[in-house]
Amino acid sequence: MPRILSSDLQKHINEEVAVSGWLHKRRELGGMTFLVLRDRRGLIQILDEKSKEVEKLDGLQNGTILAVKGTVVEDERAPGGVEIHEPEVTVDVPVKFVMPIEIDKPLDHKPDNLDVLFENRVVGLRNLQEAAIFKVQDAVKQAVREYLQGLDFVEFNSPKLLPGSTEGGAEVFKLNYFGREATLAQSAQFYKQIMVGVFERAFEINPTYRAELSATTRHMTEFIHIDAEMGFIEFEDLLELMGGLLNYAVNRVWETSAPDLEKWKATKPVVPAKVPAIPMSEIHEKYTHETGQSTIGEKDLRPDEERWICEYAAENLRSEAVFVVDWPVSEMKFYHRVSKEHPEFAERCDLLFRGVEIATGSMRENRYEVLLEQLKTKVKGNPEHPGFKYYLEAFKYGMPPHGGFGLGLERLTQKIIGLNNVKEATLFPRDINRLAP
Ligand code: 4AD
Ligand code: MG
């Protein structure tokens, strides 16, 4: 008899079927036993009225893998409206250990319980609400791929073991690479630009690493980076690309993943096709005016300011996402392009969504000589260093005007679902204290 999945039982009412999965829960009620089995689509309730067959489970725990044959009967009290009666139970894999946490009800996501949540991640992920986060994440990833591939982007994979840092700063992991110093990639920045010289439009979705010393709700030491780059564009096109991606992803995920989003009571974010853009100085002025805390002249946004401007945009601009533009040139990366019309600004944008930065994008300096100069003056970089030499080669041999962005998959998933901490949207989070599971 072929195996039937939980989601297909409705099609087999009054028929004899075979199902299999993990014992998820067991309940005794007035001489009857209810078993709940979990398979990849959901739960199956099994009723053993005489509790004879379930004697085979004596001494066995949740997690035990069972094969069950029985008749499908309609019952609105059962998950999915059907249950299996008169079961014949076979134990495929007996489990004698008691699970460290109960997984048949929602797990505790309060900030002071997150460590317990992550410590028990291996079994905790078998909780259906928990697994839903990562099905949504899978749908987000697929939506991103659909959107970019629909625009003729080619997906590639770049190495994560590098001879030098791509983003600068202190947040770089160094390691001993057979006696030489190497780093773990902080982004695919140089490679995605190199790939513009090949495909014009290229992206990757891969892990990147940051030696983040601080414990925040936004930072991890490893995260999945959606890194995209596009040739023959200008700044406005970049905003359109990034805003369009967020708009598409949100709509698509609500089409494909409604039941999983429902498990978290996620509300669909309002993201217009054209996401509004506000200059940083204007945000500082508004925030200072509204809160009485002066940020005028600051060269970045404070976390609280990011939250505030998102609330402002939701209320006044009908958008839960907003671009921050006109970033001071003093803070720019060496690969950024300085605005022609306003040389005090770099052509950079940060995309904020529901209170947090989910992406940074910029136009890149594509003129070899200017890039070389910026490398030397901005980061004291040595053009002959293997960390820069090959990147520069792309420019030596012709690069069009181009721009792109890096977007954190976990932050995007977190905000789509409405979770408080980016780690809750990460299967096995890595931070300064956690290297396992
Ligand atoms: O803002 P970041 O550092 O930008 C870059 O890496 C550039 N190369 C992007 C570009 O193409 N111009 O990182 C991009 C995004 C952030 O907006 C955030 O969503 C995510 O990556 N991110 C992190 N997510 C989790 N933990 C961390 N420590 C993160 N650091 C960045
Ligand atoms: Mg950034």
Side-chain angles (χ1 to χ4, degrees):
M1 214 187 277
R3 179 186 179 203
I4 301 289
L5 292 172
S6 53
S7 53
D8 291 332
L9 286 178
Q10 275 284 356
K11 297 180 206 149
H12 295 273
I13 289 166
N14 298 328
E15 290 173 26
E16 169 123 349
V17 296
V19 297
S20 40
W22 290 260
L23 179 61
H24 197 64
K25 187 180 176 172
R26 176 185 173 148
R27 200 156 46 94
E28 320 285 337
L29 205 79
M32 301 187 290
T33 302
F34 289 93
L35 301 180
V36 177
L37 213 65
R38 177 180 62 89
D39 69 10
R40 67 177 186 269
R41 295 274 176 80
L43 302 178
I44 304 167
Q45 183 160 292
I46 295 150
L47 168 61
D48 186 1
E49 282 193 87
K50 302 201 186 73
S51 299
K52 271 317 258 178
E53 274 296 298
V54 296
E55 282 173 12
K56 293 176 186 164
L57 299 180
D58 285 352
L60 299 184
Q61 303 296 333
N62 287 343
T64 293
I65 295 177
L66 302 175
V68 177
K69 280 186 194 152
T71 310
V72 183
V73 175
E74 266 184 302
D75 191 316
E76 60 187 20
R77 292 165 296 182
V82 288
E83 61 187 14
I84 292 182
H85 287 190
E86 290 162 58
E88 187 191 318
V89 175
T90 311
V91 174
D92 280 345
V93 182
V95 168
K96 298 203 173 80
F97 304 100
V98 178
M99 282 187 187
I101 51 168
E102 287 181 40
I103 59 162
D104 63 319
K105 46 183 185 265
L107 305 186
D108 185 351
H109 277 244
K110 287 195 206 84
D112 60 5
N113 195 61
L114 288 185
D115 231 25
V116 175
L117 186 75
F118 300 139
E119 194 53 37
N120 295 299
R121 204 58 157 163
V122 172
V123 288
L125 288 168
R126 296 182 182 191
N127 169 274
L128 298 195
Q129 196 190 20
E130 227 49 51
I133 298 173
F134 300 98
K135 278 161 77 185
V136 170
Q137 188 160 86
D138 179 52
V140 171
K141 223 187 311 175
Q142 287 192 35
V144 167
R145 284 207 167 96
E146 275 168 24
Y147 178 81
L148 292 173
Q149 284 166 348
L151 292 172
D152 222 10
F153 279 73
V154 178
E155 185 169 356
F156 68 98
N157 297 286
S158 66
K160 302 303 153 204
L161 286 167
L162 302 183
S165 146
T166 56
E167 302 296 329
E171 298 88 29
V172 57
F173 281 113
K174 296 195 173 139
L175 54 103
N176 179 335
Y177 193 72
F178 308 114
R180 269 181 294 168
E181 185 176 285
T183 71
L184 290 178
Q186 295 165 296
S187 68
Q189 186 62 40
F190 296 172
Y191 288 98
K192 64 179 175 171
Q193 291 189 254
I194 289 169
M195 294 314 291
V196 166
V198 182
F199 296 136
E200 286 188 24
R201 300 175 174 199
F203 77 101
E204 71 161 50
I205 304 179
N206 272 327
T208 48
Y209 304 89
R210 306 272 169 107
E212 296 282 356
L213 278 169
S214 50
T216 76
T217 57
R218 293 168 293 142
H219 294 97
M220 299 182 291
T221 50
E222 176 170 350
F223 66 96
I224 302 294
H225 212 157
I226 300 163
D227 254 312
E229 201 71 18
M230 189 177 189
F232 299 97
I233 59 165
E234 288 303 326
F235 190 60
E236 286 303 315
D237 304 310
L238 178 63
L239 296 184
E240 198 181 304
L241 175 73
M242 295 170 69
L245 171 65
L246 183 60
N247 169 275
Y248 182 86
V250 162
N251 286 326
R252 192 76 183 114
V253 169
W254 252 264
E255 275 168 24
T256 58
S257 309
D260 290 316
L261 292 160
E262 178 52 37
K263 287 198 171 76
W264 286 94
K265 308 225 174 321
T267 55
K268 188 176 176 188
V270 180
V271 180
K274 189 172 169 14
V275 170
I278 313 181
M280 176 182 294
S281 60
E282 202 179 310
I283 297 175
H284 286 329
E285 277 162 32
K286 283 188 158 65
Y287 178 80
T288 302
H289 181 77
E290 279 301 314
T291 66
Q293 290 198 45
S294 178
T295 56
I296 309 269
E298 287 185 8
K299 296 187 181 347
D300 201 343
L301 296 188
R302 297 181 186 178
D304 185 57
E305 224 173 356
E306 294 185 343
R307 278 189 290 273
W308 184 86
I309 194 62
C310 285
E311 282 164 26
Y312 173 89
E315 274 169 39
N316 300 285
L317 307 172
R318 291 217 197 102
S319 176
E320 291 183 66
V322 61
F323 282 114
V324 186
V325 295
D326 292 355
W327 288 75
V329 82
S330 59
E331 303 307 295
M332 73 180 238
K333 305 249 172 173
F334 84 89
Y335 58 78
H336 286 171
R337 190 171 84 180
V338 178
S339 163
K340 258 195 224 97
E341 302 81 52
H342 301 282
E344 68 276 26
F345 298 133
E347 288 185 291
R348 163 181 168 185
C349 59
D350 271 23
L351 179 57
L352 311 186
F353 178 46
R354 292 187 157 177
V356 84
E357 173 206 318
I358 58 163
T360 292
S362 81
M363 292 301 294
R364 325 300 190 185
E365 182 49 67
N366 66 313
R367 294 162 297 179
Y368 174 65
E369 279 77 18
V370 183
L371 182 63
L372 206 57
E373 195 51 34
Q374 290 187 177
L375 173 67
K376 290 180 194 158
T377 55
K378 297 262 172 211
V379 291
K380 310 252 175 306
N382 171 8
E384 287 306 315
H385 187 280
F388 297 120
K389 185 178 164 194
Y390 304 98
Y391 169 64
L392 292 170
E393 267 188 3
F395 295 82
K396 223 167 167 176
Y397 303 115
M399 285 289 280
H402 63 284
F405 63 86
L407 190 161
L409 175 67
E410 298 89 346
R411 285 195 195 176
L412 177 55
T413 312
Q414 175 205 348
K415 289 295 164 181
I416 280 181
I417 297 177
L419 300 166
N420 292 319
N421 191 315
V422 69
K423 291 173 202 169
E424 297 170 67
T426 307
L427 269 183
F428 300 106
R430 292 288 182 264
D431 63 24
I432 184 167
N433 298 314
R434 185 166 288 285
L435 195 54

